[in-house]
C-alpha cells in the first residue's frame, strides 16, 4: 500500500504488516493533522505576507518611476513649446523693427513730397491759389440755460437709514 502522507524525519520506514501499519498511520495522521498544518499555515501565511509586501513595494517603485518619467516628458514638451515661442517672438520683433524703419523712412517730408508729385500729380501752391478768410471774433460756444436736476433713487435700506437719522 502506498503512503500518501509526507513524513518529516530522516529515519527510514520499517516494513510492517498491513494491520499494524494501518493502526500506526491512523495514530500518526491525527498527530500530523493537528501539528503540521498549523505550522505550515503559519509559515505559508508569513511567506504570503512577505511576498505581498515585496510585490507592493516593487509596484510602488514602478509607479513612482513611471510618474517621474511622465513628468519629465511633460517638462520637455513645455520647454520645447517655450523655445519655439521665443523663436517666433524674436522673428516678430525683427519684423517689427524693420517696419518701424520703413515707416520712419516713409514719413520723411521729402519722400512724402516726392510721392505726392510723382504718384498723385500734385504741385505746390502758388500765390494766386492762396485765399485768406477773416472770421469774426465771436464765441460760438453757448452757455446752457437749463438746469440739470439729478434725482438719486435710494434703495430701501438707505431710505430707512434717512428716516432714522
Amino acid at each position: 500500500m502506498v503512503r500518501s502522507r509526507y513524513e518529516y524525519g530522516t529515519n527510514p520506514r520499517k516494513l510492517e504488516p498491513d494491520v499494524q501499519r494501518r493502526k500506526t498511520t491512523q495514530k500518526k495522521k491525527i498527530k500530523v493533522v493537528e501539528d503540521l498544518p498549523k505550522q505550515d499555515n503559519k509559515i505559508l501565511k508569513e511567506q504570503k505576507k512577505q511576498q505581498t509586501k515585496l510585490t507592493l513595494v516593487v509596484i510602488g517603485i514602478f509607479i513612482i518611476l513611471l510618474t517621474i518619467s511622465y513628468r519629465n516628458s511633460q517638462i520637455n514638451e513645455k520647454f520645447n513649446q517655450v523655445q519655439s515661442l521665443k523663436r517666433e517672438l524674436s522673428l516678430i520683433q525683427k519684423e517689427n523693427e524693420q517696419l518701424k524703419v520703413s515707416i520712419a523712412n516713409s514719413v520723411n517730408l521729402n519722400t512724402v513730397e516726392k510721392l505726392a508729385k510723382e504718384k498723385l500729380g500734385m504741385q505746390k501752391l502758388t500765390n494766386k491759389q492762396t485765399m485768406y478768410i477773416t472770421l469774426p471774433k465771436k464765441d460760438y460756444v453757448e452757455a446752457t440755460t437749463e438746469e440739470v436736476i439729478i434725482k438719486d433713487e435710494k434703495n430701501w435700506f438707505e431710505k430707512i437709514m434717512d428716516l432714522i437719522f
Side-chain angles (χ1 to χ4, degrees):
M1 178 177 207
V2 177
R3 297 182 91 173
S4 62
R5 296 291 294 173
Y6 179 79
E7 291 185 16
Y8 292 98
T10 57
N11 296 334
R13 289 186 298 170
K14 295 180 182 177
L15 296 176
E16 300 174 357
D18 286 338
V19 176
Q20 288 179 350
R21 189 195 269 164
R22 284 183 191 163
K23 290 179 183 178
T24 58
T25 56
Q26 287 176 353
K27 290 179 184 177
K28 287 183 181 179
K29 281 185 181 179
I30 294 172
K31 289 182 180 178
V32 170
V33 170
E34 288 178 3
D35 294 339
L36 293 180
K38 289 182 182 178
Q39 291 176 354
D40 287 344
N41 284 341
K42 288 180 182 178
I43 293 171
L44 288 176
K45 286 181 182 179
E46 289 177 11
Q47 287 177 348
K48 285 182 181 180
K49 285 181 183 178
Q50 289 177 352
Q51 287 177 348
T52 54
K53 284 181 184 179
L54 182 64
T55 305
L56 290 175
V57 167
V58 169
I59 290 172
I61 290 172
F62 179 74
I63 289 173
I64 289 171
L65 292 176
L66 186 67
T67 304
I68 290 170
S69 174
Y70 177 73
R71 289 298 300 153
N72 283 340
S73 68
Q74 292 293 321
I75 289 170
N76 285 338
E77 286 179 19
K78 296 298 180 185
F79 180 76
N80 290 337
Q81 285 178 354
V82 167
Q83 293 302 319
S84 66
L85 290 173
K86 282 183 180 180
R87 278 187 244 116
E88 187 178 333
L89 176 66
S90 66
L91 290 174
I92 290 173
Q93 285 176 341
K94 286 179 185 178
E95 184 181 347
N96 194 16
E97 289 298 321
Q98 290 173 350
L99 290 173
K100 283 181 182 179
V101 169
S102 66
I103 289 172
N105 288 337
S106 66
V107 174
N108 188 357
L109 288 177
N110 293 331
T111 56
V112 171
E113 186 179 342
K114 184 178 177 182
L115 287 175
K117 285 181 182 179
E118 292 175 2
K119 288 189 178 179
L120 301 175
M122 299 177 101
Q123 299 175 355
K124 283 192 172 184
L125 288 176
T126 61
N127 288 336
K128 293 179 183 177
Q129 294 174 331
T130 306
M131 292 180 70
Y132 294 101
I133 299 175
T134 58
L135 295 174
K137 294 186 178 184
K138 182 180 173 184
D139 192 9
Y140 290 103
V141 178
E142 294 182 14
T144 60
T145 57
E146 300 176 9
E147 287 185 30
V148 178
I149 299 173
I150 300 174
K151 254 187 173 179
D152 288 335
E153 291 190 25
K154 297 179 180 179
N155 60 18
W156 60 272
F157 182 73
E158 290 176 346
K159 289 179 183 178
I160 293 173
M161 293 304 289
D162 286 341
L163 290 174
I164 293 174
F165 298 110

